[in-house]
Amino acid sequence: MTRIVDEALKENGVGLAQIGLMALIATHADDRMAALAARAGLDPSTLSRNLRGLEREGLIEIATVEKDLRRRAVWLTESGVRRLQAALPGWRQAQARIADLLQAEFLLEIAKASEKLAAHED
């Protein structure tokens, strides 16, 4: 499944992990790195490592908040927003292809298992 998504996103220069993080950044008002790590299910050091490439490409900005130097915030740049928007049709195409390849019952079982795992983490 990852290969299908990565292939669909290749022309936009992002992969599955990158588009996932960009979507999490774009869709939540809480811009704190700690909050993003929690939403992504990553520890802070893994998140930082995953964000470095996006920052190098100018797709996100990470800054220390002046009032609390321990707090770091992350947001999409204009280039990041444009790249995410450009990648969404490929993402949707990949999701449709995966849905065609997998039986509906199997997808429901995956969704149920994901919900159980998420509930267990809380």
Side-chain angles (χ1 to χ4, degrees), residues 47-91:
L47 175 66
S48 292
R49 198 170 42 253
N50 288 336
L51 292 176
R52 277 189 216 122
L54 294 173
E55 187 177 33
R56 268 192 310 273
E57 291 185 47
L59 302 175
I60 64 166
E61 285 187 29
I62 301 172
T64 302
V65 177
E66 286 183 25
K67 293 180 182 178
D68 182 356
L69 297 179
R70 296 170 297 168
R71 181 177 170 229
R72 295 181 355 153
V74 60
W75 60 88
L76 291 179
T77 62
E78 286 185 40
S79 294
V81 171
R82 286 193 302 271
R83 179 86 60 95
L84 179 59
Q85 288 173 335
L88 287 177
W91 168 260

Side-chain angles (χ1 to χ4, degrees), residues 5 8-15 18-19 22 80-94:
V5 175
L9 298 174
K10 184 170 54 174
E11 73 180 47
N12 297 104
V14 294
Q18 291 172 316
I19 195 171
M22 291 171 67
V81 171
R82 286 193 302 271
R83 179 86 60 95
L84 179 59
Q85 288 173 335
L88 287 177
W91 168 260
R92 290 184 189 110
Q93 172 193 7

Side-chain angles (χ1 to χ4, degrees), residues 93-113:
Q93 172 193 7
Q95 296 304 307
R97 184 164 178 227
I98 291 167
D100 286 344
L101 293 172
L102 300 177
Q103 295 178 1
E105 296 82 23
F106 181 66
L107 293 173
L108 286 173
E109 289 301 316
I110 291 173
K112 288 177 188 176

